[in-house]
Amino acid sequence: MGVWEELARPGRESVAVGGVEVRRGSRVRLRPRARRDAWDTLLAGKDAVVERIEEDLDGALHVVVSLTDDPGRELGGAHPGHAFFFLPEEVEPFTATRVLVAGIGNVFLGDDGFGCAVAAALADAPLPDGVEVADFGVRGMDLAYALRDYDAAVLVDAAPLGEAPGTLSVVEPQLDDGEAEIETHGMDPVRVLRLARELDGLPARTLVVACEPCAIPDPDSDEIVAELSDPVEAAVGQAVQLVHALVDQLVDNEPKGGER
């Protein structure tokens, strides 16, 4: 096989590290051994996400990663200056299930801010290792990119399902084959999940904790309502307990490390 054919050959999909399969999307901690330069020292102990596995002409495997706290990851992959190459033995796979609890909604539209209120209530609550809570507001694009770093997700939102105001429901969205509609300042959970799927970052499982709103102002009007209605406010504490229960289930049942 010639050099050009060798370079064009598809890379490996995964590599086993310490008995754990590491592939694109796996979370790892960087453990450079030789400390060959200042970058190795700087990156030691950093958390990263595997972008791909590459094999050089000598058959050696390299794990290409980007840092989880690098804002350049929002560009949609490991771009020059944002990608780092490590030997398989220099990365340490995470074995805890990564779960994102995302509060979504608009705090200036009354009950639509329910998810944000739940995220705030969960912010200081003890949660299992690997579980993170974030308030995404109406930043649908940011959430779609963030989902690729997790094995599972719990989205918390206000949704009219025909129940009494304040009623909580757990929904597991089933996506059809429709194309993603990109709304940089929109937060329809199904649209966000479709976009995450097209970005090859859909978690293995996603649940939505939905609360029946009492009233949500028209987003096209000038009306601002910065408080939740009484029934929805009362449901915040119940939702916190429900999220804890769902997270416990996901942590127990979802695959570990790179088994995605």
Side-chain angles (χ1 to χ4, degrees):
M1 182 181 294
V3 173
W4 293 111
E5 291 82 358
E6 182 71 19
L7 291 174
R9 184 163 53 91
R12 292 271 294 270
E13 291 188 359
S14 65
V15 61
V17 179
V20 177
E21 186 182 34
V22 171
R23 60 175 61 244
R24 180 180 179 184
S26 296
R27 299 268 303 203
V28 296
R29 184 157 291 149
L30 304 179
R31 303 293 190 191
R33 293 184 176 181
R35 304 292 176 91
R36 295 171 293 270
D37 54 30
W39 274 112
D40 283 344
T41 301
L42 181 65
L43 296 174
K46 292 280 190 178
D47 293 347
V49 177
V50 176
E51 299 291 346
R52 61 186 182 276
I53 309 295
E54 290 196 358
E55 183 175 355
D56 63 24
L57 295 177
D58 295 324
L61 296 179
H62 301 270
V63 182
V64 184
V65 305
S66 59
L67 301 181
T68 57
D69 59 359
D70 182 357
R73 294 196 69 242
E74 296 183 2
L75 297 174
H79 291 259
H82 299 272
F84 301 95
F85 289 67
F86 288 88
L87 298 174
E89 58 266 27
E90 294 181 308
V91 301
E92 178 183 303
F94 278 85
T95 56
T97 301
R98 298 282 298 171
V99 180
L100 174 64
V101 179
I104 58 182
N106 190 328
V107 296
F108 298 113
L109 292 179
D111 289 344
D112 194 54
F114 170 77
C116 306
V118 174
L122 284 165
D124 298 323
L127 290 166
D129 290 341
V131 179
E132 297 181 15
V133 178
D135 177 2
F136 281 87
V138 296
R139 295 177 290 115
M141 182 73 76
D142 290 347
L143 176 56
Y145 275 113
L147 286 171
R148 63 182 179 168
D149 293 342
Y150 297 88
D151 303 300
V154 178
L155 312 183
V156 187
D157 191 17
L161 300 176
E163 305 289 344
T167 300
L168 297 177
S169 303
V170 179
V171 180
E172 187 161 4
Q174 302 298 317
L175 301 183
D176 56 25
D177 295 329
E179 294 184 359
E181 300 176 36
I182 299 177
E183 294 185 15
T184 56
H185 298 289
M187 189 55 92
D188 179 326
V190 173
R191 289 178 178 174
V192 170
L193 294 177
R194 283 177 179 164
L195 179 57
R197 180 178 62 188
E198 293 197 7
L199 294 170
D200 197 21
L202 192 64
R205 193 173 183 197
T206 300
L207 303 175
V208 177
V209 173
C211 179
E212 186 74 29
C214 182
I216 295 178
D218 183 347
D220 294 327
S221 71
D222 294 329
E223 184 178 5
I224 294 177
V225 179
E227 296 180 352
L228 302 177
S229 65
D230 290 341
V232 173
E233 178 70 40
V236 171
Q238 301 172 33
V240 168
Q241 297 179 4
L242 179 55
V243 168
H244 274 280
L246 294 175
V247 164
D248 288 341
Q249 292 178 11
L250 293 169
V251 168
D252 287 342
N253 295 330
E254 288 300 318
K256 309 298 183 185
E259 300 174 7
R260 291 183 55 184

